Amino acid sequence: GGGKSTLVCRIILGLARQRRRITVGAWEMQSGPTLELLATMALGYGRTAVLTGQITKDERRKLISTMEKIGEFVTFVKPPFVGKRTRPPIHDILDVMHGLILDTRADIFVGDLWRRAFRTMNPAEEEAALNHQQQIAQETGAHCVLVQQQRLKDIEKRDDKRPTREGIKGSSA
């Protein structure tokens, strides 16, 4: 990958260290692996060593303890309407996200691959959803960090590989 989830975990960890309440939609890596990654980073352990079980029992205990401490400030939420056969309207999904932010009293909401909560959407719906999410941020006072992949084809065509607004739009992102 491009490191987007790792970057987001660094942000989450920094905010948790500041004792900020963070609500995370870890819709790419899922909550368990994300929390383990946060603790791995906090302790300075190697990711490979943790993933392959090449840490001592004492290190494992510290990892679990650190996960519990981070968990005091980080709440993971599932994408709205998981398992439903029909796609609910986008505003219904955003209303659920709004409620999750309020219920968890989040200072920060992180949507790691935010678009996955919607399954599919066209560009007009995407613009409306982003505007609605911005309204939610204003109403709740929570900062929103929305993570998105870039379109690989767009990146390959450009000499400048920095993210662009156009590079995050569309179904091939």
Side-chain angles (χ1 to χ4, degrees):
K4 67 192 164 318
S5 295
T6 301
L7 175 64
V8 168
C9 282
R10 292 280 182 203
I11 293 167
I12 293 168
L13 182 58
L15 293 165
R17 285 178 170 152
Q18 294 176 23
R19 306 177 76 78
R20 307 287 300 271
R21 292 181 308 271
I22 309 125
T23 297
V24 180
W27 300 323
E28 181 177 36
M29 287 182 31
Q30 304 299 316
S31 58
T34 301
L35 186 57
E36 185 176 77
L37 177 57
L38 290 167
T40 299
M41 290 174 168
L43 293 166
Y45 293 171
R47 288 176 77 176
T48 302
V50 172
L51 289 172
T52 58
Q54 296 176 7
I55 58 175
T56 66
K57 287 183 180 182
D58 187 49
E59 289 171 327
R60 184 78 187 149
R61 278 192 288 276
K62 285 181 184 177
L63 185 71
I64 291 168
S65 173
T66 302
M67 288 170 67
E68 290 170 357
K69 289 176 186 171
I70 293 169
E72 292 176 25
F73 301 99
V74 179
T75 302
F76 292 95
V77 295
K78 294 181 183 200
F81 302 101
V82 170
K84 301 292 183 191
R85 291 182 186 250
T86 59
R87 185 183 87 140
I90 289 173
H91 66 271
D92 287 357
I93 295 168
L94 286 161
D95 286 346
V96 171
M97 283 190 208
H98 190 171
L100 292 169
I101 292 168
L102 288 172
D103 291 347
T104 59
R105 298 183 346 252
D107 297 312
I108 297 96
F109 169 74
V110 176
D112 189 359
L113 291 191
W114 174 79
R115 242 178 145 270
R116 283 197 177 172
F118 304 98
R119 293 192 194 153
T120 60
M121 74 168 80
N122 64 47
E125 290 175 317
E126 186 171 359
E127 192 72 29
L130 285 167
N131 289 336
H132 191 154
Q133 186 73 57
Q134 187 173 11
Q135 289 174 338
I136 291 169
Q138 290 171 344
E139 289 175 21
T140 61
H143 297 279
C144 294
V145 179
L146 308 179
V147 182
Q148 174 68 349
Q149 294 174 332
Q150 293 191 79
R151 287 191 319 222
L152 184 57
K153 291 176 189 173
D154 180 67
I155 296 168
E156 289 172 346
K157 290 179 185 177
R158 293 185 285 115
D159 290 331
D160 183 353
K161 306 300 184 196
R162 289 180 290 181
T164 65
R165 185 170 175 87
E166 288 304 312
I168 63 171
K169 292 182 176 179
S171 61
S172 67

